[in-house]
Amino acid sequence: MQVNSYTDDEHQLPKPGSNIAKRLMQWVAIILFALAPISSHSNSSERALRIAVINDIPSTQLAIQVLSAAYEKLGIRMETSTLPSRRALLMADRGQVDGDLFRMEEIASQYPNLTQVPYPLMRGRLLGIVAPPHADHLPKVDDRPLLVAVRRGVLVAEITAKRLGMTPVLANSYQQMKSLLDQGRVDLMLVSDIEGLSPSNNSEWRDLVILSEPVTQFSLFHYLNRHHSYLATPLAEALRELDRSGEKERLIEKARRNLKLKKW
């Protein structure tokens, strides 16, 4: 009786160097590449991230709009929790919220569980404002450090004041800052201007002198708790695309128009 036999070649897998093997690997790579964003977006679209924000800062609403648009490109809904400045950082670092809206790199680097999204969310300047009449430079006092009013929670102003040897005087509102200056209880105010949004644009401040040279310039980055660090690079790309497309600039212009209608 004849027994059918099969050669090894009939069941042998393609050799690693063969054209068939190369084609198989190419198809596997294409399929995996195509499936990865689908599964990622399907998982992300079912969840939201909660981000800590600081209240009553002119640039906060703009930053929320820009960042929400970036998250939306990834299929993620962004929700916010309004918190005091330092508590927001602490809760983001502990994972009690998923991230912090925006911070200077110098500040956030002190929190080991925060991951920076490596593309600036906002750019800004710190302005010096003095009472008239005054020359276009920082006041000079010989016998003591300069007393400077800063808004509570605006850490860039507080840190810059200390770095320059000034004594920060914390105020709970921009109106209180102006009152301190008007009453001569401080020598100047330090006020942020982020993407052209600043309380210094307030019509009630027209009698004050805004120094032409900014005290410092800075960039603000979005930070994620380390459990969401895998989103840092995709978010950076989404923010870059908002810049390239002009969508971010349109949001900025709209925010500037709205700010003119609001008092700070």
Side-chain angles (χ1 to χ4, degrees), residues 170-190:
L170 301 182
N172 293 320
S173 68
Y174 293 112
Q175 289 86 350
Q176 187 179 13
M177 289 174 64
K178 185 176 185 299
S179 295
L180 289 169
L181 186 64
D182 289 341
Q183 296 166 14
R185 296 170 59 187
V186 296
D187 302 302
L188 75 156
M189 302 189 294
L190 289 183

Side-chain angles (χ1 to χ4, degrees), residues 221-260:
F221 295 86
H222 177 46
Y223 283 85
L224 292 160
N225 181 270
R226 62 185 178 84
H227 294 301
H228 306 291
S229 59
Y230 62 92
L231 290 172
T233 299
L235 273 173
E237 289 302 317
L239 289 170
R240 185 176 285 107
E241 179 56 32
L242 290 174
D243 261 336
R244 280 196 296 252
S245 68
E247 185 176 350
K248 179 179 177 180
E249 186 59 32
R250 288 191 291 272
L251 290 171
I252 290 172
E253 287 302 323
K254 182 178 178 181
R256 287 171 182 165
R257 290 194 299 269
N258 291 340
L259 184 63
K260 292 178 181 178

Side-chain angles (χ1 to χ4, degrees), residues 190-220:
L190 289 183
V191 175
S192 61
D193 178 314
I194 299 175
E195 302 291 356
L197 303 180
S198 173
S200 64
N201 297 328
N202 192 327
S203 60
E204 296 180 359
W205 290 22
R206 287 178 180 171
D207 59 323
L208 301 179
V209 178
I210 302 175
L211 304 184
S212 58
E213 286 295 321
V215 177
T216 190
Q217 300 187 50
F218 55 90
S219 294
L220 297 171

Side-chain angles (χ1 to χ4, degrees), residues 5-49:
S5 62
Y6 298 90
T7 64
D8 289 341
D9 290 340
E10 292 176 90
H11 293 282
Q12 188 175 13
L13 291 172
K15 293 180 180 179
S18 69
N19 289 333
I20 296 175
K22 289 179 181 178
R23 287 175 185 171
L24 280 172
M25 293 303 295
Q26 288 172 352
W27 277 108
V28 169
I30 291 170
I31 291 169
L32 290 175
F33 180 80
L35 288 177
I38 294 173
S39 57
S40 173
H41 286 191
S42 62
N43 290 337
S44 297
S45 63
E46 297 171 0
R47 54 192 279 260
L49 291 188

Side-chain angles (χ1 to χ4, degrees), residues 75-93:
I76 298 173
R77 186 175 75 259
M78 186 180 111
E79 299 175 349
T80 61
S81 290
T82 302
L83 298 163
S85 182
R86 286 183 171 83
R87 189 186 304 170
L89 275 169
L90 189 60
M91 289 181 67
D93 187 63

